[in-house]
Amino acid sequence: MSKKKPLVIGNWKMELSHKGEISLAKSLVGSFKGKKRSADVVVCPSFPSLSAVQTELKKVSNISIGAQNIFWDEKGAWTGQTSLPQVQSFISWCLLGHSEVRAVLGVTDAQVAALAGRLLGARINPVICIGETAQERAADATVEKIRTQVDVLLESLHRTELVRVVIAYEPIWAIGTGELPDPDDVAQVILFIRKHIAARYDQDYAERMRILYGGSIKADFAKTYVGGPLADGLLVGGASIHPQQFSTIVSEVEHVFAP
Ligand code: PGA
């Protein structure tokens, strides 16, 4: 199938205590140790646990660490926010524009694109979350929404940077709800993103970019959404805090991409 290296990201959100996150990291070390992985695997703990999780995950070489978000400004009187310079030494990946962050902080597509540029400059891989709301879906406006979000990105990023950017297509109505989109609809959105990027930039970048699916993924049907015209990997929320589920999801994705 596809020659691209699949990518599986676990977004731990704010589900666990500090102790809980360390214990999850330890369990993952247990199940990943000594395994040759054909997928890139990333976990995104909460900010306060980044350092401790990093210490645990140093025991394996096949899990990287990401942040769940960073604030758009680098420094200043921003109570409660966390900036790139504060997390840079712990992470090699960073989620941007997750719908839960957009809802709480009112982050715009332009801010997300600017942050992506800054992350790339710091050699951190941005994972940009895009997707339609239930209302947009009902109004048949999914493609329009995706086009707008991708356009903002294309306008502010240099074409050579684009290949290091990961797009996570997450229909907002599917996040944490157990409601799943038809895989054919997901394939169509992914195809649209690639075609749109190919038309604006070039076919090669559009093909090489990794596009993930995210929203209510569980181990049972992880493979339904990846490979071929579907996603190059998954952004997993709720299921990622269960080490056995997460390891199975990674194995299922690897299996689909195996030569
Ligand atoms: P979920 O979350 O898997 O719990 O739906 C996905 C996400 O928020 O990225």
Side-chain angles (χ1 to χ4, degrees), residues 11 13 98 100 170 174-177 214-217 235-239:
N11 174 11
K13 308 197 183 195
H98 190 286
E100 288 155 12
E170 298 205 296
I175 297 177
T177 58
S216 292
I217 282 294
L235 175 51
V236 186

Side-chain angles (χ1 to χ4, degrees), residues 23-184:
S23 135
L24 172 55
K26 282 186 198 291
S27 302
L28 288 176
V29 167
S31 53
F32 276 64
K33 205 166 192 164
K35 284 222 174 89
K36 213 169 145 28
R37 299 251 74 126
S38 57
D40 285 329
V41 179
V42 179
V43 295
C44 303
S46 66
F47 287 134
S49 298
L50 280 175
S51 173
V53 170
Q54 183 188 51
T55 303
E56 286 307 322
L57 295 186
K58 273 187 182 148
K59 297 169 190 161
V60 288
S61 57
N62 47 15
I63 313 178
S64 304
I65 301 179
Q68 297 178 15
N69 184 42
I70 44 161
F71 192 61
W72 59 267
D73 204 359
E74 294 233 323
K75 179 176 188 306
W78 297 109
T79 302
Q81 302 310 316
T82 304
S83 71
L84 175 58
Q86 293 173 322
V87 294
Q88 201 163 353
S89 54
F90 304 111
I91 61 169
S92 44
W93 295 81
C94 184
L95 305 181
L96 289 179
H98 190 286
S99 61
E100 288 155 12
V101 176
R102 290 180 194 260
V104 172
L105 292 180
V107 174
T108 65
D109 288 321
Q111 285 170 337
V112 166
L115 276 172
R118 215 178 290 163
L119 286 170
L120 288 165
R123 311 205 65 72
I124 293 167
N125 305 305
V127 179
I128 299 170
C129 305
I130 60 174
E132 80 285 1
T133 62
Q135 291 88 328
E136 287 160 343
R137 178 192 186 213
D140 217 3
T142 299
V143 166
E144 207 39 55
K145 172 75 173 286
I146 299 297
R147 187 203 315 272
T148 309
Q149 293 190 305
V150 172
D151 276 344
V152 176
L153 264 187
L154 295 181
E155 270 149 33
S156 62
L157 292 178
H158 190 267
R159 50 185 290 163
T160 53
E161 297 175 320
L162 209 60
V163 76
R164 286 175 48 212
V165 170
V166 171
I167 290 183
Y169 169 54
E170 298 205 296
I172 296 168
W173 50 270
I175 297 177
T177 58
E179 250 190 274
L180 286 158
D182 186 322
D184 287 345

